[in-house]
Amino acid sequence: MRQNSFSIEYGTFLRKVFYVFAIFVLLMLVLTCIMMSDISRMSAYTYNSIEKIPHNRTGLLLGTSKFVSRNKINQYYLNRINAAVELYLSGKIDYIVVSGDNALKSYNEPRTMRKDLIKMGVPQDRIYLDYAGFRTLDSVVRIKHIFKQDSVTIISQDFHNERAIYIARHNGINAIAFNAHVPRQDFFVSNVREFFARLKCLLDV
């Protein structure tokens, strides 16, 4: 009799724990969706048109690797370089801060990007390098605290720009962005990977 009573009470307790856990998970999902939508709303600060984007003294070019394999160039890289050059030559930015990964002596994103910017017509004295842009958060925070810029034009692909602006505006930076062309993507890159990147962005903020 006592054993049956204990089993009933224990079962009731487990159900209560399950319901509380389910409610907690549901609330977290709702909160995450709301915050995800906040990142998407940053698209209001991005531009596709070189004519419409306002002038900013400084552009922040977010780094990426030049090659996806030994001899195959990364189209994300190429399109970001082209976008930065277009902004500069059109008089929409006066200086470019190139922020990227330089964790290894054999791997230097900022230096590689600077070489290609110079080849395409940007003067060397208009380019500054940030070797500690290991993540988007690092690049954005350092543009304010290291390079002393409170207003900036971020240069990357649209989905990346939205995340970067979200971080920037939560750190008191008046940021807009110019969208580099997005190469053809597979489902993983355009959906699953970006979902987890945005979750990480929320944790960073």
Side-chain angles (χ1 to χ4, degrees):
M1 188 74 174
R2 289 181 179 177
Q3 187 173 1
N4 289 338
S5 177
F6 174 79
S7 297
I8 293 172
E9 290 178 2
Y10 184 68
T12 302
F13 171 75
L14 287 180
R15 281 194 295 272
K16 288 181 179 178
V17 170
F18 174 78
Y19 291 145
V20 170
F21 178 75
I23 292 171
F24 174 77
V25 170
L26 181 61
L27 289 174
M28 290 301 296
L29 286 173
V30 171
L31 181 61
T32 299
C33 289
I34 292 172
M35 296 180 74
M36 285 283 201
S37 67
D38 283 343
I39 296 177
S40 296
R41 280 196 285 268
M42 295 300 104
S43 62
Y45 301 103
T46 68
Y47 293 82
N48 295 305
S49 169
I50 199 71
E51 290 79 18
K52 293 181 180 180
I53 190 169
H55 172 270
N56 249 329
R57 186 168 184 265
T58 305
L60 172 61
L61 177 57
L62 298 178
T64 187
S65 59
K66 184 171 182 176
F67 298 98
V68 292
S69 61
R70 187 169 185 177
N71 296 313
K72 185 178 180 181
I73 195 165
N74 181 359
Q75 292 301 310
Y76 288 91
Y77 172 96
L78 183 61
N79 292 340
R80 290 184 200 182
I81 293 292
N82 290 337
V85 171
E86 185 178 10
L87 282 170
Y88 178 80
L89 295 181
S90 299
K92 297 296 183 174
I93 54 175
D94 303 320
Y95 296 90
I96 301 173
V97 174
V98 182
S99 184
D101 191 348
N102 182 37
L104 303 172
K105 289 184 178 180
S106 59
Y107 185 80
N108 193 316
E109 288 178 358
R111 188 172 60 192
T112 301
M113 297 182 92
R114 178 178 61 184
K115 289 180 180 179
D116 287 332
L117 288 171
I118 293 172
K119 287 179 182 178
M120 296 182 69
V122 180
Q124 183 171 340
D125 62 358
R126 294 302 178 104
I127 304 170
Y128 291 84
L129 304 184
D130 175 17
Y131 295 108
F134 304 114
R135 300 185 299 156
T136 303
L137 174 67
D138 298 328
S139 298
V140 172
V141 171
R142 286 171 61 81
I143 198 69
K144 179 177 182 178
H145 295 289
I146 303 300
F147 294 92
K148 308 301 180 182
Q149 301 299 304
D150 293 318
S151 182
V152 68
T153 297
I154 299 169
I155 307 160
S156 187
Q157 277 71 28
D158 54 3
F159 57 87
H160 193 192
N161 282 336
E162 290 173 12
R163 284 191 275 118
I165 292 174
Y166 185 78
I167 295 170
R169 291 186 170 267
H170 275 79
N171 282 276
I173 304 170
N174 181 25
I176 59 174
F178 187 58
N179 294 328
H181 179 68
V182 178
R184 184 178 179 181
Q185 299 174 320
D186 59 26
F187 179 84
F188 177 79
V189 172
S190 60
N191 293 278
V192 179
R193 183 180 177 186
E194 181 60 18
F195 173 80
F196 286 105
R198 295 198 173 202
L199 280 181
K200 190 172 185 300
C201 175
L202 295 178
L203 293 174
D204 286 340
V205 170

